[in-house]
């Protein structure tokens, strides 16, 4: 008996024995047309829902498929015979992966993409799971890829509600992984975006995390991967200073990558050397970029202003670009495929130290002990730029670069290097620092302040508090912040960066890296007060001299001052519109807190903290003072006094430039100690 059953099953399996009707909805008693199929041609159930979709749509479009079996899915024709067909006859539980391509082609003939886009997504998800678990072979993937390149395989739904394949006649086809870029290119000709329907949040996650891998294998690119930035610039400028900065930073970048990403270093060492040999630093007066898709000659009509941009082997930058932005672009060149943020932060920290006057020994101590970045082995070739560009070379590059656009610019070869530019970095003379170009070109005259920002008026108040009485705001169990109802007139001390850097900036930079080391840098101490001083607002002293500060304490004071000021403003305006820009790491920006969301109404706060209630002066950096000029009424200094009883007093000085003009704040210049070689005239 068993042998007879086995022979019967073998006979059935060897031929076409499964009847499938052409039309659905018939009963067992009906006489309907159909076809006999083999077990290899049918399957039990389709988990993607594509055949259910076909069943719903086909009655409206039936005449086109009357000569084809409507469904090869047996669960609807023989609902109670799962074990017989699957276990006994060897019918597949689900359609073979390649079968779905034919199913999609049938679906595309009877439905619009907008009707079945979600079903196509489910098919792609099914293929993705098969790829993940090794069920979808490399041969299957290659078959799909080759098929999609053919014109007749129009199975990809697009946002324009048309079916396309990857054949060049349909233009550029991609999937939009970036909504901003997608909106930017949405109405461009010759580009189609895949459309998978209105996906839920969970489905969107699956698209980004799973289906994207399959589409990459199939040759369907993500929009963000094919879009590049094309530079648009106005005018060449001297590149020596920026080139020197990059050249100075490269050995530190090499050390960091060697220690933190050793595997990546081995992979990219040779390519990095080659890239650096071709890298050119080009400084321009104004810099913009537009997004382009080079492979299809598609360019966005929008342009965006920027301060720094790496395009191919050219690093475009403006004179105003900060070092962190430059290092972010440089990181993309050096460690492609690895987030460059940490490398850029590392380079920015040591750059800030150098700008603040830290010696090489102090910087090296910080790198070794705080950052744990060891020196390179002697056998490693130290990275550097092939050569520093002169201004003439800079202009030549701008003239010969076809991939970028130079707008309304005179002959750049006539650009001349400005006098006083130092080829070496870090600068040893404050006159070489960025931001002093106007003064050098105008016989050391300062640039006039923007009248719109400064405004006109006879008075400018020191904004201490908006209440008429003392108000205490409890921040946490440890600190209470008080509005100061009447601030005195402090001094704002501008120092030569060669003599002493901005103590608060330096403290914040080090605190961001959990630095636990004491530097012997200078601080200001009061030698003696003016005897019989008649005014409480007088800032005159017999002498302001250099002393030794506890760097670790300065770090904590600066960091705590910013924290207290942040909590103070959160208490006044709410947490959604107050941002502490240095909360995660030191950004190097000339302000510490930003209030507001709208660009035109933002307020910029620079925090100056102290633990001495008698101290009525503070050091301010050149960049902070320049920012105060530029922002005008939108810039304030928050003076935070941290008391021993865990009470902090906050005083706000709005528009310090105008307050200085009105005499409510005063500037002081600290002279260096007399050194050898100084001439004394009596």
């Amino acid at each position: 008996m068993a042998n007879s059953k086995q022979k019967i099953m073998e006979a059935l399996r060897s031929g076409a024995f499964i009847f499938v009707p052409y039309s659905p909805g018939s009963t067992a008693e009906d006489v309907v047309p159909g076809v006999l199929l083999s077990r290899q041609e049918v399957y039990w159930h389709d988990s993607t829902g594509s055949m259910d979709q076909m069943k719903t749509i086909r009655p409206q479009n039936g005449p086109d498929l009357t000569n084809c079996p409507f469904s090869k899915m047996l669960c609807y024709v023989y609902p109670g015979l799962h074990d017989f067909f699957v276990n006994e006859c060897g019918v597949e539980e689900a359609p073979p992966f390649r079968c779905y391509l034919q199913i999609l082609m049938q679906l595309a003939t009877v439905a619009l993409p907008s009707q079945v886009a979600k079903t196509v997504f489910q098919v792609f998800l099914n293929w993705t799971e098969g790829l993940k678990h090794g069920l979808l072979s490399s041969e299957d993937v290659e078959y799909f890829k080759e098929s999609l390149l053919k014109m007749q395989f129009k199975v990809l739904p697009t946002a324009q509600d048309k079916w396309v394949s990857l054949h060049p006649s349909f233009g550029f086809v991609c999937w939009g992984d970036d909504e901003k870029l997608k909106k930017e290119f949405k109405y461009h000709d010759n580009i189609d975006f895949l459309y998978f329907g209105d996906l839920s949040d969970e489905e969107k996650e699956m698209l980004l995390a799973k289906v994207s891998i399959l589409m990459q294998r199939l040759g369907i690119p993500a929009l963000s991967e094919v879009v590049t930035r094309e530079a648009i610039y106005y005018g060449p400028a001297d590149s020596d200073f920026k080139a020197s900065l990059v050249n100075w930073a490269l050995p530190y970048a090499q050390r960091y990558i060697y220690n933190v990403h050793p595997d990546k270093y081995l992979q990219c060492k040779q390519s990095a050397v080659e890239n650096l040999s071709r890298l050119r630093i080009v400084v321009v007066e104004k810099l913009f970029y537009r997004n382009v898709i080079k492979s299809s000659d598609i360019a966005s009509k929008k342009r965006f202003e920027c301060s720094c941009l790496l395009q191919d082997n050219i690093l475009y930058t403006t004179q105003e670009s900060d070092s962190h932005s430059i290092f972010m672009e440089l990181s993309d060149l050096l460690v492609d495929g690895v987030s460059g943020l940490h490398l850029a932060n590392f380079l920015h920290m040591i750059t800030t130290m150098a700008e603040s006057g830290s010696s090489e020994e102090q910087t090296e101590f910080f790198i070794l002990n705080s950052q744990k970045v060891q020196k390179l082995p002697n056998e490693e070739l130290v990275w550097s730029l092939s050569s520093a560009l002169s201004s003439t070379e800079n202009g030549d590059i701008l003239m010969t670069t076809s991939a970028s656009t130079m707008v309304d610019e005179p002959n750049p070869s006539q650009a001349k290097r400005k006098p006083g530019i130092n080829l070496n970095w870090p600068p040893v003379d404050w006159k070489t620092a960025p931001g002093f170009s106007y003064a050098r070109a105008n016989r050391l005259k300062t640039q006039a302040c923007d009248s719109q920002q400064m405004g006109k008026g006879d008075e400018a108040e020191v904004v201490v508090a908006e209440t008429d009485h003392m108000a205490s705001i409890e921040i946490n169990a440890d600190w209470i912040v008080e509005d100061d109802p009447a601030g005195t007139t402090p001094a704002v001390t501008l120092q030569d960066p060669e003599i002493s850097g901005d103590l608060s900036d330096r403290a914040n930079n080090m605190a961001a890296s959990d630095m636990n080391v004491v530097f012997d840098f200078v601080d200001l101490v009061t030698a003696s007060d003016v005897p019989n001083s008649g005014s409480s607002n007088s800032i005159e002293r017999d002498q302001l001299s250099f002393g030794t500060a506890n760097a670790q304490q300065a770090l904590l004071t600066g960091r705590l001052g910013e924290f207290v000021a942040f909590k103070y403003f959160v208490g006044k305006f709410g947490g959604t519109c107050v941002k502490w820009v240095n909360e995660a790491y030191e950004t190097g920006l000339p302000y510490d807190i930003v209030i507001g969301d709208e660009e035109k109404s933002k307020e910029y706060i620079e925090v100056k903290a102290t633990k001495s209630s008698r101290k009525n002066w503070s050091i301010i950096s050149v960049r902070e003072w320049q920012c105060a000029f530029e922002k005008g009424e939108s810039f304030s200094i928050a003076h935070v006094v941290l008391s021993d009883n865990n009470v902090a007093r906050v005083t706000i000085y709005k528009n310090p430039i105008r307050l200085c003009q009105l005499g409510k704040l005063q500037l002081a210049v600290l002279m260096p100690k007399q050194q050898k070689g100084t001439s004394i005239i009596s």
Side-chain angles (χ1 to χ4, degrees):
M1 184 68 181
N3 291 334
S4 299
K5 180 180 178 181
Q6 185 177 356
K7 289 179 180 180
I8 294 172
M9 294 307 300
E10 288 176 355
L12 289 175
R13 290 170 182 167
S14 62
F17 71 100
I18 303 173
F19 177 78
V20 177
Y22 284 132
S23 301
S26 57
T27 63
E29 292 77 16
D30 295 334
V31 178
V32 294
V35 65
L36 289 173
L37 299 175
S38 66
R39 64 186 180 93
Q40 290 87 359
E41 296 176 288
V42 295
Y43 48 88
W44 180 252
H45 178 65
D46 166 37
S47 60
T48 67
S50 57
M51 295 315 300
D52 289 336
Q53 197 83 29
M54 185 85 73
K55 183 179 179 181
T56 303
I57 297 172
R58 185 177 179 268
Q60 304 170 8
N61 306 276
D64 295 332
L65 295 177
T66 52
N67 295 324
C68 300
F70 167 73
S71 174
K72 298 180 182 181
M73 187 167 61
L74 301 184
C75 65
Y76 288 140
V77 183
Y78 307 103
L81 299 177
H82 173 272
D83 289 343
F84 171 74
F85 282 112
V86 174
N87 299 330
E88 299 292 340
C89 299
V91 171
E92 293 289 342
E93 188 78 41
F97 289 113
R98 296 193 184 193
C99 183
Y100 277 110
L101 200 56
Q102 299 299 325
I103 293 174
L104 290 180
M105 289 184 68
Q106 289 186 27
L107 201 58
T109 61
V110 298
L112 293 172
S114 56
Q115 294 176 292
V116 294
K118 206 73 171 286
T119 302
V120 179
F121 176 74
Q122 292 299 324
V123 172
F124 273 58
L125 190 59
N126 177 275
W127 287 346
T128 299
E129 291 298 319
L131 184 64
K132 177 182 178 181
H133 296 97
L135 302 176
L136 186 68
S137 67
S138 300
E139 290 76 15
D140 291 331
V141 174
E142 193 62 29
Y143 169 76
F144 293 145
K145 187 174 181 179
E146 291 177 359
S147 298
L148 290 175
L149 287 171
K150 298 176 181 178
M151 184 179 294
Q152 65 267 30
F153 283 87
K154 296 185 293 183
V155 297
L156 301 176
T158 66
Q160 288 82 356
D161 207 16
K162 62 181 182 180
W163 293 100
V164 301
S165 71
L166 297 181
H167 190 272
S169 62
F170 293 105
F172 182 73
V173 179
C174 65
W175 67 282
D177 61 328
D178 187 305
E179 286 300 322
K180 289 184 178 180
L181 286 176
K182 188 175 178 181
K183 290 179 181 178
E184 199 172 324
F185 287 94
K186 184 176 181 179
Y187 299 107
H188 277 259
D189 296 332
N190 207 35
I191 182 171
D192 282 317
F193 295 104
L194 293 192
Y195 176 67
F196 292 121
D198 295 326
L199 303 180
S200 65
D201 291 340
E202 183 180 358
E203 288 170 331
K204 289 178 181 178
E205 286 294 324
M206 288 190 290
L207 173 63
L208 293 172
K210 297 180 179 180
V211 181
S212 61
I213 299 173
L214 171 73
M215 289 196 287
Q216 185 181 35
R217 294 281 300 271
L218 295 178
I220 306 174
L223 179 61
S224 65
E225 294 176 353
V226 295
V227 169
T228 57
R229 298 175 299 170
E230 180 181 274
I232 304 173
Y233 49 83
Y234 295 78
D238 187 10
S239 65
D240 291 337
F241 188 87
K242 297 296 186 183
S244 297
L245 168 63
V246 172
N247 203 46
W248 173 85
L250 281 176
Y252 293 109
Q254 182 182 8
R255 284 178 62 176
Y256 182 91
I257 300 170
Y258 181 88
N259 283 273
V260 180
H261 304 291
D263 295 337
K264 189 67 178 177
Y265 181 83
L266 292 175
Q267 295 174 10
C268 72
K269 181 168 65 171
Q270 186 58 39
S271 61
V273 173
E274 293 174 358
N275 290 336
L276 291 174
S277 68
R278 297 189 297 267
L279 180 64
R280 295 294 179 266
I281 313 299
V282 173
V283 180
V284 296
E285 294 179 1
K286 280 285 186 178
L287 182 61
F288 302 84
Y289 73 87
R290 64 176 181 176
N291 292 311
V292 298
I293 303 175
K294 290 183 180 180
S295 60
S296 300
D297 196 25
I298 299 173
S300 170
K301 296 179 181 179
K302 292 184 178 181
R303 73 174 189 176
F304 306 89
E305 187 171 6
C306 61
S307 63
C308 195
L309 176 93
L310 178 67
Q311 181 178 318
D312 299 326
N313 64 326
I314 300 178
L315 179 59
Y316 295 96
T317 179
T318 62
Q319 290 177 322
E320 295 77 20
S321 178
D322 62 277
S323 62
H324 193 270
S325 298
I326 293 175
F327 295 147
M328 281 295 294
E329 297 293 321
L330 188 63
S331 298
D332 290 339
L333 179 71
L334 298 177
V335 285
D336 185 31
V338 176
S339 174
L341 178 61
H342 297 297
L343 172 58
N345 291 345
F346 169 76
L347 295 176
H348 179 65
M349 283 190 292
I350 61 175
T351 302
T352 304
M353 290 180 66
E355 289 177 330
S356 301
S358 298
S359 66
E360 290 185 14
E361 291 77 13
Q362 292 170 340
T363 302
E364 190 63 32
F365 192 89
F366 167 70
I367 294 173
L368 290 173
N369 292 275
S370 177
Q371 298 299 300
K372 309 300 182 185
V373 175
Q374 303 303 312
K375 292 184 177 181
L376 286 171
N378 294 331
E379 61 271 15
E380 290 294 327
L381 180 65
V382 178
W383 292 351
S384 65
L385 296 177
S386 61
S387 60
L389 284 177
S390 67
S391 296
T392 302
E393 289 171 327
N394 189 9
D396 292 340
I397 289 177
L398 288 175
M399 293 185 70
T400 57
T401 302
S402 59
S404 303
T405 305
M406 183 167 63
V407 184
D408 296 331
E409 187 54 40
N411 186 356
S413 63
Q414 298 176 357
K416 294 182 179 180
R417 178 181 158 201
K418 296 179 182 179
I421 295 293
N422 194 331
L423 294 179
N424 296 320
W425 205 97
V428 294
D429 185 351
W430 67 269
K431 295 178 183 179
T432 68
F436 283 91
S437 57
Y438 182 92
R440 291 199 305 274
N442 294 274
R443 297 183 180 181
L444 300 183
K445 294 179 181 179
T446 56
Q447 189 171 5
C449 184
D450 188 341
S451 59
Q452 293 181 352
Q453 289 180 342
M454 292 300 300
K456 293 183 179 180
D458 296 328
E459 295 294 333
E461 73 277 11
V462 176
V463 182
V464 177
E466 296 182 359
T467 57
D468 297 329
H469 59 278
M470 180 73 73
S472 296
I473 306 171
E474 184 172 354
I475 300 301
N476 51 40
D478 298 323
W479 284 94
I480 295 177
V481 178
E482 298 178 345
D483 289 334
D484 188 351
T488 58
T489 304
V492 181
T493 304
L494 281 173
Q495 285 189 274
D496 187 332
E498 185 179 356
I499 302 169
S500 172
D502 184 343
L503 184 60
S504 64
D505 278 356
R506 196 181 311 171
N508 292 334
N509 280 315
M510 307 313 169
S513 302
D514 297 325
M515 184 177 176
N516 189 22
V517 58
V518 177
F519 286 121
D520 187 23
F521 54 80
V522 296
D523 188 16
L524 287 172
V525 295
T526 302
S528 62
D529 292 336
V530 178
N532 303 321
S533 177
S535 173
S536 62
N537 291 334
S538 174
I539 64 162
E540 186 178 357
R541 299 282 189 269
D542 288 334
Q543 181 184 6
L544 288 175
S545 63
F546 293 103
T548 301
N550 185 318
Q552 185 178 3
Q553 185 60 55
L555 300 176
L556 296 175
T557 300
R559 192 72 175 168
L560 183 57
E562 288 188 21
F563 170 77
V564 168
F566 172 67
K567 290 296 184 181
Y568 167 77
F569 288 113
V570 167
K572 289 178 70 70
F573 302 107
T576 57
C577 63
V578 180
K579 180 181 179 182
W580 180 12
V581 299
N582 300 323
E583 185 172 9
Y585 63 91
E586 171 60 33
T587 62
L589 295 171
Y591 47 84
D592 302 311
I593 295 171
V594 178
I595 302 173
D597 297 322
E598 297 295 331
E599 192 64 34
K600 293 183 179 179
S601 61
K602 281 184 179 179
E603 295 282 335
Y604 301 87
I605 312 296
E606 171 60 27
V607 180
K608 299 297 179 185
T610 181
K611 287 193 173 182
S612 172
S613 59
R614 297 181 59 192
K615 179 182 174 184
N616 64 345
W617 52 264
S618 182
I619 300 172
I620 189 167
S621 71
V622 172
R623 290 188 66 215
E624 292 165 354
W625 198 242
Q626 184 179 2
C627 184
F629 264 110
E630 295 172 353
K631 301 300 182 184
E633 290 293 329
S634 300
F635 187 92
S636 301
I637 293 176
H639 186 246
V640 180
V641 180
L642 306 169
S643 302
D644 292 336
N645 57 354
N646 286 353
V647 174
R649 184 178 295 267
V650 178
T651 308
I652 310 300
Y653 298 94
K654 189 177 182 66
N655 195 349
I657 300 293
R658 191 151 181 246
L659 292 177
C660 282
Q661 292 173 338
L662 296 174
K664 297 195 174 190
L665 287 179
Q666 298 185 33
L667 289 177
V669 177
L670 181 64
M671 305 301 178
K673 288 185 177 181
Q674 184 174 320
Q675 300 177 357
K676 293 180 180 181
T678 304
S679 300
I680 300 177
I681 301 176
S682 58

